[in-house]
Amino acid sequence: MSTSNPPASAAVLAARARWARQRRRLIGYGQWDPFMPAEPVRAHLKALAAVGMPRKGVEQALRLQPDALRHVTSGTYGYEPGKKVTREIGQAVLGFWPVLEDFPDSATVDPTGTRRRVEALAVVGWSRAELAKRAGRSYCSFKNSLRFDRTSVPLAKLVVRLYDELWNQRPEDHGVREWVAERCRRQARAAGFYGPLAWDDDLIDNPSALPQTDAQVSLLAQGENLAARFLLGESVILDAAARREVLLHLMEWADLTVEQVAERLEMTEAAVSRAWERAKEKAREEGRTVPWRRAYVPQQLCEAVAAA
């Protein structure tokens, strides 16, 4: 493994743990085969390349040696692409689908999530001119970059940072003139943009996802203490802030797996893991106690105790 690559993400570590468990199980059954067909891996690498993740980016994200996948995609030393690949590497690749943080800065990605975040911030009152100013870019450069069929990874990451910082902040509270913010809101409404509450973090980047429109937010989403009422079993619709609060409570205090938390909140496991890691990182940055899984007991440990 290369020591120059960044630490593996939670999703990568989970994939490796699944592979290790499967390997031990198959060895115990006498069915372990260290190799697997390369064609499914090659097809998956092509699909990753189509969304902007190059082979070298996959190797870096999975913390593989440089050119570890070269024999799968193009062959090496004059030989044709290989027909076999080690099972460890093959399953790691097949179980990998990148989030934005995995892409190298030289890559480009689908612009859907970037545009939706800018539009959602416009509903709140943040104009593109103000976002460009906060991003340290010229207004024309920022505006024009949103028109392309692909978005550079640095720009996409920059917009994510702005969105996470400003989605629940009134521009008037940060030095923006009231008439400027109100004009931005009016133009956003006229353009049919959707605000932050219409998008879940795990859906906003998906081009096929549909927004949760205001028509779906009824009396069930009104009132205070939405998170507490949801945890007590009341049928309420969580806004983004309440959903985040419930997620952190369940991850820290409930004896639930990530899969179970995701199912309860109707999210993907990847989105739950991202939100949990983001909360821990924010706590570290602010010097607060980092949340940890106080109540969760892995099933393997329960089985071991029961068998003892």
Side-chain angles (χ1 to χ4, degrees):
M1 297 294 178
S2 174
T3 58
S4 61
N5 289 335
S9 66
V12 171
L13 293 175
R16 287 180 177 171
R18 289 194 300 270
W19 175 85
R21 289 194 298 269
Q22 181 182 18
R23 179 178 180 272
R24 288 194 298 268
R25 185 168 59 252
L26 291 176
I27 289 176
Y29 294 152
Q31 300 175 352
W32 173 244
D33 181 358
F35 296 98
M36 63 178 290
E39 186 54 40
V41 180
R42 191 158 34 245
H44 192 68
L45 288 170
K46 289 180 180 179
L48 290 170
V51 298
M53 174 58 75
R55 171 179 58 82
K56 292 184 180 296
V58 177
E59 293 166 346
Q60 184 177 25
L62 296 177
R63 296 202 300 178
L64 302 174
Q65 290 283 3
D67 290 332
L69 297 171
R70 182 180 172 188
H71 78 287
V72 176
T73 57
S74 58
T76 55
Y77 305 111
Y79 290 97
E80 295 182 353
K83 297 181 179 180
K84 295 281 188 177
V85 63
T86 61
R87 192 168 296 275
E88 177 183 11
I89 291 179
Q91 291 187 351
V93 172
L94 292 175
F96 172 71
W97 192 262
V99 296
L100 182 59
E101 292 78 8
D102 294 322
F103 285 90
D105 286 347
S106 59
T108 59
V109 294
D110 185 276
T112 300
T114 301
R115 290 173 182 167
R116 284 174 176 170
R117 287 180 175 90
V118 171
E119 292 172 357
L121 289 175
V123 173
V124 179
W126 294 100
S127 67
R128 296 187 181 187
E130 184 63 27
L131 294 178
K133 178 181 176 182
R134 286 177 168 266
R137 303 185 59 166
S138 71
Y139 169 64
C140 289
S141 171
F142 185 79
K143 180 183 68 173
N144 292 335
S145 63
L146 298 173
R147 298 175 176 175
F148 300 137
D149 293 335
R150 305 285 294 178
T151 297
S152 70
V153 168
L155 175 64
K157 291 180 178 178
L158 181 61
V159 171
V160 168
R161 180 179 62 79
L162 290 172
Y163 182 78
D164 289 344
E165 176 186 345
L166 302 174
W167 71 271
N168 61 348
Q169 300 292 315
R170 296 178 72 254
E172 295 92 328
D173 297 335
H174 296 270
V176 177
R177 294 181 180 180
E178 185 174 352
W179 70 267
V180 175
E182 184 53 40
R183 181 184 63 181
C184 182
R185 296 187 189 104
R186 187 170 59 252
Q187 291 174 342
R189 288 194 298 269
F193 295 163
Y194 295 98
L197 298 185
W199 299 107
D200 285 334
D201 284 347
D202 57 335
L203 295 178
I204 192 169
D205 292 302
N206 185 347
S208 62
L210 297 176
Q212 299 178 13
T213 62
D214 292 341
Q216 298 174 355
V217 182
S218 64
L219 291 173
L220 296 175
Q222 296 183 11
E224 299 178 349
N225 303 320
L226 290 177
R229 289 158 55 195
F230 179 90
L231 290 169
L232 288 172
E234 187 176 338
S235 296
V236 297
I237 299 176
L238 300 174
D239 58 24
R243 180 183 295 274
R244 189 174 295 108
E245 183 179 348
V246 170
L247 184 150
L248 297 181
H249 176 87
L250 294 177
M251 289 293 289
E252 185 166 10
W253 295 103
D255 187 16
L256 300 174
T257 65
V258 173
E259 181 181 6
Q260 290 168 331
V261 173
E263 182 179 0
R264 186 164 178 180
L265 291 174
E266 297 182 348
M267 299 172 64
T268 64
E269 292 182 53
V272 170
S273 297
R274 267 200 314 274
W276 178 241
E277 293 302 320
R278 190 181 300 136
K280 292 194 291 185
E281 183 62 30
K282 185 175 181 180
R284 293 189 192 98
E285 293 176 355
E286 296 177 354
R288 296 183 286 106
T289 301
V290 178
W292 54 285
R293 307 215 62 188
R294 303 170 189 266
Y296 175 61
V297 179
Q299 183 64 30
Q300 299 92 324
L301 179 59
C302 295
E303 294 173 352
V305 172

